[in-house]
Amino acid sequence: MKNSVLLTCLLIIISYSSCAQDPANEVTIPEKVPFSATLLIDDILAPWGMAFLPDGSLLVTQKTGELYHFKNGKKTSISNTPETYQRGQGGLLDVQVHPDFKNNGWIYLSYASSEGEEKGGHTALMRGQLKNNTLTNHQLLYKASPNTTKGQHFGSRIAFDDKGYVYLTIGERGARDVNPQDISRDGGKIYRFNADGSIPKDNPFYNTKNAKKAIYSYGHRNPQGLVKHPKTGEIWNHEHGPRGGDEINIVKAGANYGWPVITYGINYSGTPITDQTKMEGMEQPIHYWLPSIAPSGMAFITTDTYGADYNGSLLVGSLKFQYLERLEMNGTKVVNREKLMGDIGRVRDVEEGPDGIIYVAVEGKGIYTLTPTK
């Protein structure tokens, strides 16, 4: 067993230097791109999430606790945002708008919250409504527990599906051997709620004794990408691996995505986590990265704004290598990877606007638009 673990570790390390042999693990730099990157908002230094209102204006969260509304070239600070737990990767995180916002006005926020008996914080989901540049009618929909003073792996992406269910990712909060495989505990999970925060009775573990009824899938590490597929309606996620093994998955009810029992990554120290990359009853990713790019933010291109070749591509931000990655898809298979906006900075989020333009949030810089040049 020990030799098997060491062999697996060695093979993974070797793959870092040989990944160019596999097109799915080779990122190329295109000679020409059909856009120019323009800095739209230059004074949001810690952007985390973005969402568009029906009028085309933009909401942006800043990890330090601010929510901004950008409309007609003007940035307005929204008051009365939730109090956040500021530690490590925690703070004010994602923002999404209800699909029927025109009629109900609901805005959803994920954030690190210290609410609870224990010291520290954990991921929470709330909703509120905008009135005169103030977030009103706060409703706490979910608060994970127990709190911990660890500063990593809050997850926190939000997405809606075609039926109006809202999904939330929560990372395993640095407790890899405790949370991800235990459905009686929060952390290392993707959750599904009704829009009002109640739990759908057809959730996979709703009738399972001691289970957290909101869990939809488990065995996740730190998912910071979540998006609805524009054609199939499936919810796709990506999540951070350790050293290697970032993953893209299609979220399925009740599915176990394996962390930390199976992984294509190793410890940051270079030691093995496990000798298993596959196991019966655990899902395989549709794509994994070697080496890790530290993915954050995720969006499909759904128009020909940048040409037919870009339509259907998946965009993912890289925190580690500081670029925007375009993944050319053939169904659920990645057939080509391109490095866009090289060395721009840590790309935290990416969204396609209702105008068909791509918006990119970059830490330390602000919000960029990709203006078509074709």
Side-chain angles (χ1 to χ4, degrees):
M1 180 68 175
K2 183 177 180 181
N3 289 338
S4 178
V5 173
L6 291 174
L7 177 59
T8 300
C9 179
L10 179 61
L11 290 174
I12 292 173
I13 293 172
I14 290 172
S15 70
Y16 274 69
S17 60
S18 62
C19 62
Q21 299 172 12
D22 180 358
N25 271 324
E26 179 183 7
V27 61
T28 60
I29 301 175
E31 293 183 2
K32 186 178 180 181
V33 295
F35 63 82
S36 60
T38 304
L39 188 59
L40 178 69
I41 312 174
D42 64 358
D43 55 353
I44 301 179
L45 298 183
W48 210 96
M50 299 184 289
F52 287 90
L53 296 176
D55 63 2
S57 61
L58 179 65
L59 295 174
V60 182
T61 60
Q62 181 154 251
K63 183 175 158 294
T64 49
E66 296 81 19
L67 175 64
Y68 298 109
H69 183 203
F70 187 79
K71 184 176 182 178
N72 298 328
K74 181 181 178 181
K75 177 173 69 67
T76 302
S77 181
I78 303 301
S79 64
N80 198 34
T81 55
E83 183 177 350
T84 61
Y85 176 66
Q86 295 285 329
R87 185 177 178 88
Q89 298 167 6
L92 182 59
L93 302 173
D94 207 11
V95 56
Q96 283 298 326
V97 173
H98 190 283
D100 194 25
F101 177 86
K102 285 184 178 180
N103 292 314
N104 61 38
W106 287 118
I107 292 168
Y108 292 71
L109 294 170
S110 65
Y111 58 103
S113 170
S114 60
E115 182 173 321
E117 297 179 359
E118 310 88 3
K119 292 182 179 180
H122 216 310
T123 305
L125 175 70
M126 62 86 68
R127 69 176 182 176
Q129 295 170 315
L130 275 182
K131 185 176 181 179
N132 298 326
N133 297 323
T134 299
L135 191 67
T136 66
N137 196 13
H138 285 210
Q139 296 182 8
L140 179 63
L141 305 184
Y142 196 78
K143 165 63 174 59
S145 63
N147 289 343
T148 171
T149 56
K150 291 182 178 179
Q152 70 265 45
H153 301 177
F154 289 87
S156 287
R157 289 296 177 191
I158 307 168
F160 284 88
D161 69 9
D162 287 331
K163 296 181 179 180
Y165 294 116
V166 57
Y167 296 76
L168 171 71
T169 73
I170 302 182
E172 34 85 308
R173 296 295 280 112
R176 78 176 193 191
D177 298 320
V178 179
N179 290 337
Q181 292 295 318
D182 187 345
I183 60 171
S184 72
R185 296 180 61 88
D186 282 315
K189 316 292 193 310
I190 295 177
Y191 301 74
R192 185 179 73 152
F193 306 93
N194 295 312
D196 64 359
S198 61
I199 300 172
K201 293 183 179 179
D202 63 346
N203 267 13
F205 304 109
Y206 189 88
N207 295 310
T208 301
K209 185 179 179 180
N210 298 325
K212 298 284 186 179
K213 299 180 184 298
I215 293 173
Y216 196 73
S217 62
Y218 65 109
H220 299 280
R221 186 172 182 266
N222 188 29
Q224 290 190 337
L226 198 68
V227 67
K228 182 186 73 173
H229 192 284
K231 293 184 178 179
T232 68
E234 297 166 320
I235 299 297
W236 286 35
N237 90 286
H238 68 56
E239 57 193 271
H240 292 264
R243 184 176 163 189
D246 302 336
E247 297 181 358
I248 299 175
N249 293 296
I250 298 175
V251 182
K252 302 175 184 177
N256 181 355
Y257 291 84
W259 176 253
V261 181
I262 60 173
T263 179
Y264 288 92
I266 58 176
N267 286 312
Y268 293 113
S269 64
T271 60
I273 297 168
T274 172
D275 64 343
Q276 300 294 316
T277 56
K278 299 179 180 180
M279 188 173 291
E280 185 175 354
M282 296 183 178
E283 299 294 317
Q284 280 291 295
I286 63 172
H287 178 74
Y288 62 91
W289 282 272
L290 288 175
S292 293
I293 68 166
S296 187
M298 189 179 191
F300 281 99
I301 297 178
T302 65
T303 73
D304 287 343
T305 300
Y306 304 99
D309 290 346
Y310 270 48
N311 196 340
S313 296
L314 185 63
L315 298 175
V316 174
S318 169
L319 297 171
K320 181 177 180 180
F321 295 120
Q322 304 190 10
Y323 68 87
L324 179 68
E325 182 163 312
R326 181 176 80 92
L327 297 99
E328 183 181 348
M329 306 298 300
N330 181 4
T332 61
K333 183 177 176 59
V334 175
V335 295
N336 186 45
R337 296 171 55 204
E338 283 188 345
K339 178 180 180 180
L340 309 177
M341 302 178 72
D343 301 318
I344 193 68
R346 286 165 54 88
V347 176
R348 175 56 73 179
D349 198 17
V350 54
E351 297 286 343
E352 182 184 66
D355 53 5
I357 300 298
I358 299 300
Y359 294 71
V360 184
V362 181
E363 292 182 3
K365 302 254 180 100
I367 310 301
Y368 286 82
T369 57
L370 303 190
T371 305
T373 56
K374 62 173 185 172

